[in-house]
Amino acid sequence: MSFHDASDPQCRQQSGGISLVIEPNEKDLGGFSVRRVLPSPQRRMVGPFIFFDHMGPATFEPGNGIQVRPHPHIGLATITYLFEGEIMHRDSLGYEQPIRPGAVNLMHAGRGIVHSERAGADLNETSRLHGIQSWMALPEELAESEPAFTHIPATDLPSSSSGGATVTLITGAAFGMKSPVPVMADTLYADCRLNAGAEFVLPTDNEEIAVYVVSGDIDIDTRHFSSGAMVVAADEHELVVNAVTDCHFMLIGGESLGKRHIWWNFVASSRERIEQAKADWRDGKFAAVPGETEWIPLPE
């Protein structure tokens, strides 16, 4: 297993190579803060990850909460992963599934899917919401595949602790573990928590890899990083994360899928496919979400 206790002198040596540090674009959505990390002007993707949003943490008064009306997606798969709170997912395939901390909602859009995201069972009480929403581009040969939805309970995700580090594997295979979450391309996604003083060696068998700091403070290659920073490893270089304080970070990466276009909620390898999706949503050609009467209009 590639995470270690900093008290072991054999684990102190650092090798590295930081390709890029991405600072998020923070948006206030009416009292609800979202830090958008990907896509960024500096870098569009890390492995298949083309969208990465850090939601909250936010506190909602009773009767309030997120209310994201039905909207479409193509050419991607989404993962919602929460640290706090609950979101109710409903989609055009007929799935209705609450997502709670530590579980995974994986929505495979393929040729097209529509879904809504609304406050969960905690709507009528003071509630907290905190988590990550990410999108993975699909390989070109699967971009027009049938849409699908998968829910994986938190208890089904593999987790391991050693040397002051605890890792929960969301997707992929690493650290002697394999996730049951299905993916269409080589994808690594992990929830990592380190005690102060621990070291964590990132795996080197991924084409691209990055660390996103959720909370706490870390050092990598003698550089200091705090909440909101995404540190992207240079090609074929090993990064060692040193926990300055108790910290929480996400590990993302996998194979590069080449150039993709992204517009609103659409991802495609051609602009023509994006234009077709825009026309289809404008003309009402996407399937509806059962029980929902609202929708988000196409942006002007």
Side-chain angles (χ1 to χ4, degrees):
M1 192 173 294
S2 297
F3 43 99
H4 312 289
D5 188 341
S7 63
D8 181 351
Q10 293 184 354
C11 299
R12 294 179 186 274
Q13 184 177 0
Q14 294 189 36
S15 60
I18 295 174
S19 169
L20 177 68
V21 177
I22 302 172
E23 297 294 339
N25 178 19
E26 189 160 352
K27 298 183 178 182
D28 183 355
L29 304 181
F32 180 56
S33 176
V34 173
R35 300 177 183 180
R36 181 149 303 159
V37 187
L38 294 175
S40 77
Q42 300 98 329
R43 184 162 181 143
R44 305 285 285 176
M45 301 172 68
V46 174
F49 287 84
I50 193 167
F51 180 94
F52 192 95
D53 257 10
H54 181 182
M55 307 178 295
T59 300
F60 295 99
E61 295 301 318
N64 295 319
I66 66 165
Q67 297 293 340
V68 182
R69 295 167 291 164
H71 56 281
H73 291 280
I74 67 162
L76 55 86
T78 72
I79 283 185
T80 302
Y81 186 81
L82 297 181
F83 311 129
E84 296 180 84
E86 180 177 323
I87 295 176
M88 177 60 72
H89 163 96
R90 296 182 179 88
D91 64 40
S92 52
L93 300 178
Y95 287 97
E96 184 172 330
Q97 176 65 55
I99 176 73
R100 300 186 179 98
V104 169
N105 272 6
L106 173 70
M107 187 179 72
H108 177 91
R111 61 179 175 78
I113 197 169
V114 179
H115 76 133
S116 66
E117 298 161 290
R118 299 186 183 273
D122 55 0
L123 174 62
N124 294 319
E125 58 191 63
T126 300
S127 61
R128 295 264 296 175
L129 187 63
H130 187 200
I132 303 290
Q133 285 201 321
S134 55
W135 302 353
M136 290 82 68
L138 299 176
E140 287 196 41
E141 65 272 18
L142 297 174
E144 299 298 324
S145 54
E146 290 296 312
F149 177 82
T150 303
H151 175 78
I152 305 293
T155 53
D156 288 357
L157 293 181
S159 184
S160 184
S161 297
S162 177
T166 298
V167 176
T168 299
L169 193 62
I170 302 170
T171 68
F175 314 114
M177 301 181 289
K178 182 174 175 57
S179 169
V181 176
V183 289
M184 301 297 112
D186 179 23
T187 307
L188 176 63
Y189 192 19
D191 182 339
C192 308
R193 299 168 192 259
L194 271 62
N195 295 335
E199 287 187 349
F200 182 97
V201 183
L202 271 61
T204 56
D205 54 353
N206 295 273
E207 186 176 353
E208 298 179 348
I209 195 166
V211 167
Y212 174 75
V213 185
V214 177
S215 63
D217 295 276
I218 65 173
D219 284 343
I220 300 177
D221 283 359
T222 70
R223 297 175 63 182
H224 188 82
F225 303 100
S226 299
S227 177
M230 178 173 281
V231 184
V232 184
D235 293 344
E236 300 180 357
H237 281 272
E238 180 182 84
L239 291 185
V240 180
V241 177
N242 297 271
V244 178
T245 64
D246 290 351
C247 64
H248 180 194
F249 61 88
M250 308 302 286
L251 187 61
I252 70 168
E255 66 177 299
S256 173
L257 298 180
K259 184 179 178 180
R260 292 291 188 276
H261 299 283
I262 180 170
W263 186 88
W264 193 34
N265 303 310
F266 304 140
V267 170
S269 57
S270 72
R271 295 188 184 279
E272 291 76 16
R273 182 65 181 95
I274 297 284
E275 292 302 316
Q276 182 62 57
K278 290 163 66 173
D280 289 345
W281 182 244
R282 186 186 299 113
D283 297 340
K285 293 183 178 180
F286 279 83
V289 177
E292 295 269 14
T293 58
E294 300 178 297
W295 66 90
I296 300 177
L298 193 74
E300 296 296 330

